[in-house]
Amino acid sequence: MEGRISADLLRGHTDTIVLGILLKNDAYGYQIYKSIMDRTDGLYQLKEATLYSSYKRLEKETCIVAYWGDESQGGRRKYYRITDKGRVQYKQNIADWEFTQRILNRLLKEEDD
């Protein structure tokens, strides 16, 4: 039996996923989307609307800042950069996730008879 990812399970972690991608480099919207697809070998796909909602939320919370690129060809791209506050938030979200995993593992583990 092969597992599958529930959209509900990951929905609350979209901001953390975005912050994690931005830890290494600034990126524009589609680049972040593509990175998610690449990292999961296409097994998980976030809707673009969900990602753009995350960008707006993170920007409002000052976890990221947006700026326009200066591409010489094609349309201008809006890039996102993680802030110091975003780095702190990412670390807290990871700690919360690890704690949640430990609790779920305890709850879902079959009892030894």
Side-chain angles (χ1 to χ4, degrees):
M1 179 179 346
E2 189 171 317
R4 61 186 168 98
I5 297 175
S6 163
D8 290 336
L9 185 61
L10 285 181
R11 186 173 294 123
H13 302 285
T14 305
D15 293 356
T16 307
I17 293 167
V18 170
L19 290 173
I21 290 169
L22 293 175
L23 281 173
K24 291 186 178 190
N25 296 307
D26 296 0
Y28 58 92
Y30 181 74
Q31 192 175 19
I32 294 170
Y33 171 80
K34 182 88 168 81
S35 181
I36 292 166
M37 292 293 293
D38 291 346
R39 288 182 183 192
T40 63
D41 294 325
L43 296 173
Y44 183 66
Q45 182 176 354
L46 277 170
K47 294 180 181 173
E48 288 185 50
T50 301
L51 279 173
Y52 282 99
S53 294
S54 178
Y55 304 152
K56 290 209 177 285
R57 186 171 43 256
L58 288 168
E59 211 174 350
K60 184 178 179 182
E61 295 170 358
T62 66
C63 289
I64 63 172
V65 291
Y67 63 93
W68 290 101
D70 58 354
E71 289 79 17
S72 59
Q73 292 187 345
R76 288 180 65 203
R77 295 177 176 152
K78 191 180 213 179
Y79 285 80
Y80 299 95
R81 175 183 301 128
I82 192 169
T83 64
D84 288 340
K85 181 179 179 183
R87 290 176 196 284
V88 170
Q89 186 63 54
Y90 175 79
K91 288 178 184 176
Q92 182 60 57
N93 291 358
I94 292 301
D96 293 348
W97 169 246
E98 289 169 348
F99 177 76
T100 301
Q101 279 183 301
R102 284 195 307 273
I103 298 301
L104 284 173
N105 287 338
R106 288 180 185 183
L107 292 170
L108 299 177
K109 182 180 177 184
E110 291 185 28
E111 291 294 323
D112 295 325
D113 291 331

